[in-house]
Amino acid sequence: MLPPRFSIARIILNRRPLRPPNLKCIPPGLRLFTQNSQLLLVSRTPPRPELPYLYVSSVSRLPRAAPSTQYQGRLARYLTTERKQRIISETKLTVKYIIYFHVIAGFVLALVWLVSVEIKERRYPTPPEWSFKTRNIYRTARIMSEPNFNPSGITEWPQVGNNYWVALSRLEDPSIDGKDLQIPPGDDHRVFVVGINALGFTRNGLDLLSKSEEWRRGYYSVLMGAARAAEHLDEDVRDTKRNITFPKEHMIGPSNPRPKPVPHGAASPPLEENCVPASESPHMYYTKILTSTGFSTCQRLDAALAYADWLEFKGLRETAEEMYDWGLDIAMGALPVGVNNVVDTQTGIISNNAAYVSNNLLKATTALAIHHARNANLTAALPIFLSVLRAKKHLSLPPIPDAPKVEPTNLEWITSMAKSVLVTPPYPPAPPSGDEAPIRTPKAICEEAAVMAHIGEILFASSNDDPKLPLKALKSRSTSRNQESGLSWTRDAVDVSESTLTSMDRADLSGRQTCAECLRTGIDNWSAMVRKMLRDQQKSVSTKEQKVGNGRGWFWGGKSTAETEGDEGTWERELQLVDERMDKVQRLLEHEEESRKYRKPGGWLGLG
């Protein structure tokens, strides 16, 4: 057994001290359980324990450190290795998501743009032979020329004209879309400076027979669009310094000594020495169509009639009449061989014994009659209208279909819709040339109603100063008969157009639009005629009452006051009937207008 002092000494050696250890004596290299590893810290920290229940009190006892030292300590405590790795991973993830977002957004925008291009292509088809840029420029011009494109309702014709001119120059450029075009010898290109682009195209007609019919049809549409833009820019000038188009009335210079002020907010008016015409005359574009080889008879006739209409608008009546005669010659020159004596070339009247009447011939004679009526040459216009109406009445009826139309099943309808969305439809087929004999379709019946409305208007507006009627009473009776006859023609025109419109196929958009325009014109003419008759009757009653009051009018056998008041009541009743009819027609036309918005060419959402 060991002595007792050994056990006492062992207990004393293993006893813990009663006071805290002196940290100053502990080497800084030792790792305490209350401290983080030096490897996990950015900077060295004091070796004092950082227990949660000791941290606040211990910090409060420490003296305030300098701001840089305090910030460095906080940053050292924040940027640990785990936090650095987390920040790096979050940054990489954020960058990745941003890249994904921009890529997806780019694909979505590209898809939206492609869909919009497809919709425009289906609403305004372009020949597939054209380059993509030319097709896009042409579609832009067509869209900008629409009345509802600009919210203000004002069409920017300088921009529309620039687009058409650029498309025309690209179509005539042999290195772009004008391959194999034969330019006449000695015909150089007329250069137009539009912005910063020098555009050139020929002034005279071209030989287009080497091109396909689709190319020629699109080229014709570009020429007609350019001519229409030139008509609106005929009185405008372009400032070459600023490339801005102004009406000529605002130009400052010797040729315009009293210029009008520009609207508020517009650019300052141009100087005459800096101005050039905004466009060439429409004469160049219309003549280019008429002298080119390869256009159909209908296209050349439409260009001639449009040119004649513009000449008439400019006040050149004789030149316009010559152009109408040229259009009539174009229509007659395309008649079948052996067909003669169809139209009297001196008066434009269609013969009663005409063996063959084409659609172009009816269009040309109708335009000539309207020209005579506008210029108050009613004696020349009325026989032409009557001959046109007689020729339309003798048109052949359309053939009866052999089998009724079968409605597609739901599966067929879904398949056709999917095909229309996914597959681009082909370019529309060529329209009729107009050289064939027309058929008495519902649209032709509406055109007959329009001719009847013209006849009624001419009869109602015919002059009462006929030199063949020597007495004023006979003149008054003849005038009254003409007015009542004109009113009767107008009533019949309204009845025919309204009944045809209500029974016409809803798929015939062109025919329904023709009927709607005829119905609107006829009902307006009818209302104006009845109101004028009522005013004339009231004026006649007041004049007779004044004569009776003065003791005159007893021996001339005129109408009594009671008879005159009875006639006045007749016109009042008819005016009431016309007002009720106008309300009905107005509702029908509004419904037709709303329906036309949902039956635009292009099918469902413009994609079919």
Side-chain angles (χ1 to χ4, degrees), residues 249-252 256 258-264 266-269:
E249 58 188 10
H250 299 310
M251 183 181 63
I252 300 175
N256 189 26
R258 300 182 63 182
K260 292 185 178 180
V262 296
H264 177 71
S268 58

Side-chain angles (χ1 to χ4, degrees), residues 16 98 131 137 150 161 439 490:
R16 297 183 54 143
I98 290 175
S131 61
I137 292 172
N150 198 336
I439 302 175
T490 306

